[in-house]
Tab-separated table of all heavy atoms in Angstrom:
chain	number	residue	atom	x	y	z
A	229	THR	N	-58.717	11.504	-69.789
A	229	THR	CA	-59.206	12.661	-69.089
A	229	THR	C	-60.223	13.351	-69.782
A	229	THR	O	-61.315	13.675	-69.332
A	229	THR	CB	-58.007	13.606	-68.654
A	229	THR	OG1	-57.034	12.840	-67.897
A	229	THR	CG2	-58.602	14.634	-67.891
A	230	ALA	N	-59.988	13.484	-71.119
A	230	ALA	CA	-60.936	14.245	-72.013
A	230	ALA	C	-62.191	13.470	-72.132
A	230	ALA	O	-63.320	14.005	-72.280
A	230	ALA	CB	-60.325	14.375	-73.498
A	231	PHE	N	-62.215	12.046	-71.972
A	231	PHE	CA	-63.408	11.238	-72.023
A	231	PHE	C	-64.067	11.108	-70.653
A	231	PHE	O	-65.055	10.366	-70.560
A	231	PHE	CB	-63.079	9.934	-72.593
A	231	PHE	CG	-63.092	9.842	-74.105
A	231	PHE	CD1	-61.993	9.980	-74.857
A	231	PHE	CD2	-64.444	9.682	-74.781
A	231	PHE	CE1	-62.034	9.958	-76.279
A	231	PHE	CE2	-64.398	9.681	-76.154
A	231	PHE	CZ	-63.148	9.850	-76.921
A	232	GLY	N	-63.476	11.703	-69.630
A	232	GLY	CA	-64.122	11.880	-68.307
A	232	GLY	C	-63.505	11.167	-67.185
A	232	GLY	O	-64.100	11.153	-66.085
A	233	ALA	N	-62.355	10.592	-67.385
A	233	ALA	CA	-61.720	9.999	-66.204
A	233	ALA	C	-61.338	10.999	-65.107
A	233	ALA	O	-60.968	12.100	-65.459
A	233	ALA	CB	-60.424	9.248	-66.773
A	234	ASP	N	-61.646	10.662	-64.000
A	234	ASP	CA	-61.342	11.459	-62.797
A	234	ASP	C	-59.867	11.415	-62.378
A	234	ASP	O	-59.417	12.303	-61.749
A	234	ASP	CB	-62.259	10.968	-61.612
A	234	ASP	CG	-63.738	11.042	-61.944
A	234	ASP	OD1	-64.247	12.213	-61.939
A	234	ASP	OD2	-64.217	9.934	-62.221
A	235	ALA	N	-59.078	10.273	-62.718
A	235	ALA	CA	-57.850	10.222	-62.340
A	235	ALA	C	-57.145	9.274	-63.485
A	235	ALA	O	-57.790	8.343	-63.979
A	235	ALA	CB	-57.612	9.563	-61.075
A	236	VAL	N	-55.904	9.458	-63.788
A	236	VAL	CA	-55.211	8.595	-64.653
A	236	VAL	C	-53.864	8.140	-64.037
A	236	VAL	O	-53.307	8.932	-63.244
A	236	VAL	CB	-54.943	9.222	-66.077
A	236	VAL	CG1	-56.277	9.496	-66.819
A	236	VAL	CG2	-54.021	10.433	-65.905
A	237	ILE	N	-53.385	7.028	-64.402
A	237	ILE	CA	-52.181	6.374	-63.712
A	237	ILE	C	-51.329	6.022	-64.830
A	237	ILE	O	-51.782	5.090	-65.720
A	237	ILE	CB	-52.406	5.272	-62.696
A	237	ILE	CG1	-53.409	5.642	-61.685
A	237	ILE	CG2	-51.092	4.799	-62.110
A	237	ILE	CD1	-53.832	4.498	-60.761
A	238	ASP	N	-50.070	6.435	-64.924
A	238	ASP	CA	-49.067	6.098	-65.926
A	238	ASP	C	-48.323	4.966	-65.561
A	238	ASP	O	-47.542	4.997	-64.511
A	238	ASP	CB	-48.153	7.328	-66.225
A	238	ASP	CG	-47.273	7.040	-67.450
A	238	ASP	OD1	-47.037	5.885	-67.834
A	238	ASP	OD2	-46.894	8.018	-68.069
A	239	ILE	N	-48.403	3.832	-66.172
A	239	ILE	CA	-47.791	2.554	-65.864
A	239	ILE	C	-46.236	2.661	-65.976
A	239	ILE	O	-45.448	1.988	-65.300
A	239	ILE	CB	-48.080	1.274	-66.563
A	239	ILE	CG1	-48.099	1.470	-68.066
A	239	ILE	CG2	-49.568	0.870	-66.224
A	239	ILE	CD1	-48.190	0.113	-68.811
A	240	THR	N	-45.707	3.700	-66.721
A	240	THR	CA	-44.249	3.715	-66.884
A	240	THR	C	-43.641	4.526	-65.776
A	240	THR	O	-42.447	4.612	-65.639
A	240	THR	CB	-43.944	4.486	-68.208
A	240	THR	OG1	-44.458	5.858	-68.095
A	240	THR	CG2	-44.545	3.790	-69.374
A	241	GLU	N	-44.541	5.148	-64.934
A	241	GLU	CA	-43.975	5.970	-63.804
A	241	GLU	C	-44.419	5.411	-62.382
A	241	GLU	O	-44.254	5.931	-61.365
A	241	GLU	CB	-44.524	7.338	-63.838
A	241	GLU	CG	-43.957	8.157	-64.955
A	241	GLU	CD	-44.673	9.563	-65.161
A	241	GLU	OE1	-45.758	9.736	-64.450
A	241	GLU	OE2	-44.325	10.224	-66.148
A	242	THR	N	-45.038	4.220	-62.381
A	242	THR	CA	-45.512	3.589	-61.149
A	242	THR	C	-45.218	2.029	-61.113
A	242	THR	O	-45.073	1.547	-62.301
A	242	THR	CB	-47.085	3.770	-61.125
A	242	THR	OG1	-47.611	3.412	-62.217
A	242	THR	CG2	-47.406	5.201	-60.626
A	243	THR	N	-45.079	1.489	-59.912
A	243	THR	CA	-44.986	0.010	-59.830
A	243	THR	C	-46.486	-0.492	-59.607
A	243	THR	O	-47.350	0.366	-59.299
A	243	THR	CB	-44.280	-0.344	-58.717
A	243	THR	OG1	-44.771	0.105	-57.366
A	243	THR	CG2	-42.758	0.225	-58.710
A	244	ASP	N	-46.631	-1.759	-59.724
A	244	ASP	CA	-47.972	-2.280	-59.525
A	244	ASP	C	-48.488	-2.041	-58.076
A	244	ASP	O	-49.542	-1.822	-57.832
A	244	ASP	CB	-48.099	-3.752	-59.938
A	244	ASP	CG	-47.084	-4.679	-59.265
A	244	ASP	OD1	-46.175	-4.169	-58.602
A	244	ASP	OD2	-47.206	-5.946	-59.307
A	245	LYS	N	-47.566	-2.128	-57.124
A	245	LYS	CA	-47.772	-1.852	-55.704
A	245	LYS	C	-48.346	-0.337	-55.529
A	245	LYS	O	-49.285	-0.050	-54.784
A	245	LYS	CB	-46.618	-2.079	-54.856
A	245	LYS	CG	-46.407	-3.568	-54.600
A	245	LYS	CD	-45.690	-3.712	-53.175
A	245	LYS	CE	-45.725	-5.136	-52.708
A	245	LYS	NZ	-44.916	-6.004	-53.706
A	246	GLN	N	-47.680	0.591	-56.169
A	246	GLN	CA	-47.981	1.979	-56.208
A	246	GLN	C	-49.425	2.224	-56.882
A	246	GLN	O	-50.232	2.909	-56.254
A	246	GLN	CB	-46.956	2.878	-56.811
A	246	GLN	CG	-45.685	3.068	-56.096
A	246	GLN	CD	-44.580	3.639	-56.789
A	246	GLN	OE1	-44.427	3.419	-58.105
A	246	GLN	NE2	-43.788	4.520	-56.252
A	247	ARG	N	-49.679	1.504	-57.903
A	247	ARG	CA	-51.008	1.638	-58.617
A	247	ARG	C	-52.062	1.152	-57.659
A	247	ARG	O	-53.140	1.909	-57.587
A	247	ARG	CB	-50.956	0.863	-59.979
A	247	ARG	CG	-49.975	1.493	-60.831
A	247	ARG	CD	-50.326	0.959	-62.344
A	247	ARG	NE	-49.770	-0.372	-62.450
A	247	ARG	CZ	-48.405	-0.587	-62.889
A	247	ARG	NH1	-47.606	0.314	-62.919
A	247	ARG	NH2	-48.056	-1.909	-63.048
A	248	SER	N	-51.749	0.055	-56.999
A	248	SER	CA	-52.816	-0.508	-55.981
A	248	SER	C	-53.028	0.529	-54.998
A	248	SER	O	-54.255	0.761	-54.529
A	248	SER	CB	-52.268	-1.852	-55.516
A	248	SER	OG	-53.230	-2.285	-54.630
A	249	LYS	N	-52.118	1.085	-54.431
A	249	LYS	CA	-52.122	2.064	-53.369
A	249	LYS	C	-52.949	3.369	-53.877
A	249	LYS	O	-53.855	3.818	-53.213
A	249	LYS	CB	-50.700	2.544	-52.902
A	249	LYS	CG	-50.687	3.410	-51.658
A	249	LYS	CD	-49.319	3.320	-50.952
A	249	LYS	CE	-49.136	4.261	-49.751
A	249	LYS	NZ	-48.807	5.539	-50.259
A	250	ILE	N	-52.599	3.739	-54.960
A	250	ILE	CA	-53.383	4.974	-55.579
A	250	ILE	C	-54.798	4.724	-55.689
A	250	ILE	O	-55.620	5.570	-55.403
A	250	ILE	CB	-52.753	5.391	-56.964
A	250	ILE	CG1	-51.346	5.866	-56.776
A	250	ILE	CG2	-53.515	6.521	-57.696
A	250	ILE	CD1	-50.483	5.966	-58.194
A	251	VAL	N	-55.123	3.461	-56.319
A	251	VAL	CA	-56.621	3.113	-56.468
A	251	VAL	C	-57.295	3.102	-55.062
A	251	VAL	O	-58.490	3.566	-54.955
A	251	VAL	CB	-56.641	1.829	-57.165
A	251	VAL	CG1	-58.131	1.228	-57.211
A	251	VAL	CG2	-56.301	2.001	-58.722
A	252	ARG	N	-56.730	2.409	-54.001
A	252	ARG	CA	-57.200	2.443	-52.725
A	252	ARG	C	-57.421	3.776	-52.242
A	252	ARG	O	-58.632	4.046	-51.616
A	252	ARG	CB	-56.221	1.675	-51.691
A	252	ARG	CG	-56.054	0.232	-52.092
A	252	ARG	CD	-57.155	-0.656	-51.532
A	252	ARG	NE	-57.108	-1.883	-52.291
A	252	ARG	CZ	-57.987	-2.892	-52.190
A	252	ARG	NH1	-59.044	-2.796	-51.352
A	252	ARG	NH2	-57.982	-3.931	-53.030
A	253	GLU	N	-56.479	4.677	-52.265
A	253	GLU	CA	-56.577	6.006	-51.829
A	253	GLU	C	-57.816	6.752	-52.484
A	253	GLU	O	-58.683	7.535	-51.903
A	253	GLU	CB	-55.356	6.813	-52.077
A	253	GLU	CG	-54.263	6.483	-51.063
A	253	GLU	CD	-52.964	6.978	-51.345
A	253	GLU	OE1	-52.690	7.699	-52.323
A	253	GLU	OE2	-52.017	6.769	-50.597
A	254	LEU	N	-57.916	6.510	-53.848
A	254	LEU	CA	-58.915	7.172	-54.556
A	254	LEU	C	-60.391	6.626	-54.395
A	254	LEU	O	-61.341	7.283	-54.777
A	254	LEU	CB	-58.728	7.113	-56.170
A	254	LEU	CG	-57.524	7.997	-56.656
A	254	LEU	CD1	-57.150	7.692	-58.038
A	254	LEU	CD2	-57.860	9.487	-56.552
A	255	THR	N	-60.482	5.372	-53.709
A	255	THR	CA	-61.735	4.770	-53.394
A	255	THR	C	-61.990	4.594	-51.955
A	255	THR	O	-62.630	3.663	-51.539
A	255	THR	CB	-61.775	3.482	-54.047
A	255	THR	OG1	-60.660	2.575	-53.778
A	255	THR	CG2	-61.670	3.613	-55.556
A	256	ASP	N	-61.512	5.619	-51.206
A	256	ASP	CA	-61.744	5.632	-49.706
A	256	ASP	C	-61.377	4.388	-49.098
A	256	ASP	O	-61.935	3.799	-48.160
A	256	ASP	CB	-63.228	5.900	-49.352
A	256	ASP	CG	-63.728	7.268	-49.709
A	256	ASP	OD1	-62.708	8.192	-49.783
A	256	ASP	OD2	-64.812	7.439	-50.278
A	257	GLY	N	-60.165	3.692	-49.534
A	257	GLY	CA	-59.640	2.500	-49.041
A	257	GLY	C	-60.360	1.275	-49.383
A	257	GLY	O	-59.945	0.131	-48.980
A	258	GLN	N	-61.408	1.361	-50.137
A	258	GLN	CA	-62.206	0.197	-50.501
A	258	GLN	C	-61.838	-0.598	-51.718
A	258	GLN	O	-62.107	-1.845	-51.700
A	258	GLN	CB	-63.726	0.658	-50.788
A	258	GLN	CG	-64.352	1.439	-49.698
A	258	GLN	CD	-64.344	0.618	-48.416
A	258	GLN	OE1	-64.796	-0.440	-48.279
A	258	GLN	NE2	-63.682	1.081	-47.302
A	259	GLY	N	-61.088	-0.050	-52.579
A	259	GLY	CA	-60.866	-0.680	-53.929
A	259	GLY	C	-62.022	-0.512	-54.788
A	259	GLY	O	-63.063	-0.041	-54.514
A	260	ALA	N	-61.732	-0.882	-56.196
A	260	ALA	CA	-62.696	-0.653	-57.199
A	260	ALA	C	-63.864	-1.485	-57.035
A	260	ALA	O	-63.767	-2.726	-56.714
A	260	ALA	CB	-62.101	-0.683	-58.511
A	261	ASP	N	-65.153	-1.033	-57.445
A	261	ASP	CA	-66.273	-1.971	-57.580
A	261	ASP	C	-66.239	-2.702	-58.920
A	261	ASP	O	-66.716	-3.788	-58.974
A	261	ASP	CB	-67.554	-1.158	-57.563
A	261	ASP	CG	-67.665	-0.412	-56.266
A	261	ASP	OD1	-67.802	-1.056	-55.304
A	261	ASP	OD2	-67.595	0.987	-56.346
A	262	VAL	N	-65.666	-2.092	-59.961
A	262	VAL	CA	-65.600	-2.715	-61.357
A	262	VAL	C	-64.267	-2.408	-61.836
A	262	VAL	O	-63.749	-1.313	-61.853
A	262	VAL	CB	-66.696	-2.190	-62.282
A	262	VAL	CG1	-66.483	-2.698	-63.626
A	262	VAL	CG2	-68.093	-2.522	-61.650
A	263	VAL	N	-63.529	-3.443	-62.447
A	263	VAL	CA	-62.375	-3.171	-63.313
A	263	VAL	C	-62.610	-3.767	-64.624
A	263	VAL	O	-63.097	-4.928	-64.778
A	263	VAL	CB	-61.081	-3.933	-62.549
A	263	VAL	CG1	-59.846	-3.711	-63.534
A	263	VAL	CG2	-60.859	-3.272	-61.224
A	264	VAL	N	-62.244	-2.954	-65.597
A	264	VAL	CA	-62.475	-3.411	-67.061
A	264	VAL	C	-61.175	-3.632	-67.756
A	264	VAL	O	-60.264	-2.663	-67.678
A	264	VAL	CB	-63.160	-2.369	-67.897
A	264	VAL	CG1	-63.362	-2.850	-69.315
A	264	VAL	CG2	-64.544	-2.053	-67.213
A	265	GLU	N	-60.788	-4.778	-68.125
A	265	GLU	CA	-59.479	-5.107	-68.831
A	265	GLU	C	-59.545	-5.100	-70.221
A	265	GLU	O	-60.259	-5.974	-70.853
A	265	GLU	CB	-59.028	-6.513	-68.242
A	265	GLU	CG	-57.469	-6.811	-68.661
A	265	GLU	CD	-57.350	-7.203	-70.109
A	265	GLU	OE1	-57.977	-8.225	-70.600
A	265	GLU	OE2	-56.564	-6.444	-70.873
A	266	VAL	N	-58.859	-4.050	-70.828
A	266	VAL	CA	-58.882	-3.951	-72.236
A	266	VAL	C	-57.442	-3.737	-72.764
A	266	VAL	O	-57.120	-3.085	-73.590
A	266	VAL	CB	-59.885	-2.876	-72.817
A	266	VAL	CG1	-61.197	-3.321	-72.821
A	266	VAL	CG2	-59.698	-1.515	-72.029
A	267	VAL	N	-56.518	-4.316	-71.931
A	267	VAL	CA	-55.064	-4.174	-72.402
A	267	VAL	C	-54.654	-5.287	-73.312
A	267	VAL	O	-54.050	-5.001	-74.300
A	267	VAL	CB	-54.177	-4.339	-71.058
A	267	VAL	CG1	-52.608	-4.302	-71.522
A	267	VAL	CG2	-54.451	-3.246	-70.088
A	268	GLY	N	-55.215	-6.439	-72.930
A	268	GLY	CA	-54.956	-7.654	-73.945
A	268	GLY	C	-53.695	-8.361	-73.487
A	268	GLY	O	-53.211	-9.237	-74.229
A	269	HIS	N	-53.225	-8.125	-72.246
A	269	HIS	CA	-52.095	-8.976	-71.811
A	269	HIS	C	-52.531	-9.668	-70.501
A	269	HIS	O	-53.006	-9.037	-69.574
A	269	HIS	CB	-50.924	-7.909	-71.502
A	269	HIS	CG	-49.535	-8.658	-71.474
A	269	HIS	ND1	-49.205	-9.500	-70.352
A	269	HIS	CD2	-48.527	-8.711	-72.317
A	269	HIS	CE1	-48.113	-9.980	-70.508
A	269	HIS	NE2	-47.625	-9.555	-71.708
A	270	PRO	N	-52.132	-10.933	-70.452
A	270	PRO	CA	-52.625	-11.691	-69.299
A	270	PRO	C	-52.142	-11.141	-67.921
A	270	PRO	O	-52.800	-11.177	-66.882
A	270	PRO	CB	-52.132	-13.140	-69.466
A	270	PRO	CG	-51.274	-13.105	-70.631
A	270	PRO	CD	-51.455	-11.844	-71.394
A	271	ALA	N	-50.892	-10.612	-67.976
A	271	ALA	CA	-50.346	-10.027	-66.598
A	271	ALA	C	-51.206	-8.914	-66.044
A	271	ALA	O	-51.258	-8.701	-64.814
A	271	ALA	CB	-48.918	-9.551	-66.956
A	272	ALA	N	-52.018	-8.276	-66.847
A	272	ALA	CA	-52.847	-7.202	-66.365
A	272	ALA	C	-53.915	-7.714	-65.556
A	272	ALA	O	-54.488	-7.022	-64.674
A	272	ALA	CB	-53.397	-6.370	-67.595
A	273	ILE	N	-54.289	-9.059	-65.679
A	273	ILE	CA	-55.511	-9.622	-65.031
A	273	ILE	C	-55.005	-9.652	-63.540
A	273	ILE	O	-55.871	-9.349	-62.661
A	273	ILE	CB	-55.861	-10.961	-65.727
A	273	ILE	CG1	-56.262	-10.761	-67.136
A	273	ILE	CG2	-57.021	-11.526	-64.871
A	273	ILE	CD1	-56.596	-11.943	-67.781
Side-chain angles (χ1 to χ4, degrees):
T229 303
F231 274 94
D234 300 280
V236 297
I237 306 174
D238 188 334
I239 54 166
T240 66
E241 293 173 356
T242 49
T243 63
D244 55 347
K245 282 209 170 63
Q246 286 171 321
R247 292 192 284 279
S248 177
K249 189 158 172 276
I250 295 168
V251 169
R252 294 279 154 185
E253 282 167 4
L254 288 167
T255 55
D256 295 327
Q258 301 302 305
D261 299 295
V262 172
V263 174
V264 182
E265 189 283 301
V266 283
V267 176
H269 197 286
I273 301 176

